[in-house]
Amino acid sequence: MFDPKSRYAGAARYEVRDHRGRTVTVVVVPPRPTPAVLGYHVLKQGQQLDQLAYKYLDDADGYWRIAELNDVMLPDWLAAARDIAIPQRGV
């Protein structure tokens, strides 16, 4: 269901019934990690979060780690940012 590197991969789950009577699996939100900051990147026009994730984390799919560290839900919300915090690798 989740990428093995995701903090949700080992999260507890339980089932509930929705308003239509269907059984739905719910994932308990694990505590938010507080990774160490590697540094800050000055965003240039046209740069994308997946490119920065590949450059700094060696994992383009790790863009969500940068978004989470910068307290945004969607990567596009960082488009107007100037300085973007970059987490350390493997944290």
Side-chain angles (χ1 to χ4, degrees):
M1 176 183 244
F2 295 103
D3 184 288
K5 294 182 254 177
S6 170
R7 67 182 169 126
Y8 294 92
R13 298 179 178 131
Y14 61 94
E15 292 183 346
V16 297
R17 291 207 181 273
D18 69 6
H19 69 282
R20 295 182 184 172
R22 298 175 297 184
T23 301
V24 179
T25 301
V26 177
V27 178
V28 177
V29 178
R32 181 179 173 186
T34 52
V37 176
L38 173 68
Y40 292 86
H41 177 87
V42 177
L43 191 64
K44 297 180 181 120
Q45 186 174 2
Q47 287 184 318
Q48 298 175 346
L49 224 48
D50 60 337
Q51 295 168 337
L52 296 180
Y54 183 75
K55 177 179 180 177
Y56 292 109
L57 307 175
D58 200 30
D59 178 14
D61 292 330
Y63 67 89
W64 60 269
R65 293 182 58 220
I66 297 172
E68 186 172 62
L69 180 62
N70 287 276
D71 204 26
V72 298
M73 292 277 294
L74 300 173
D76 292 344
W77 293 356
L78 286 173
R82 177 168 158 69
D83 297 326
I84 296 177
I86 304 294
Q88 287 186 348
R89 282 186 185 190
V91 179

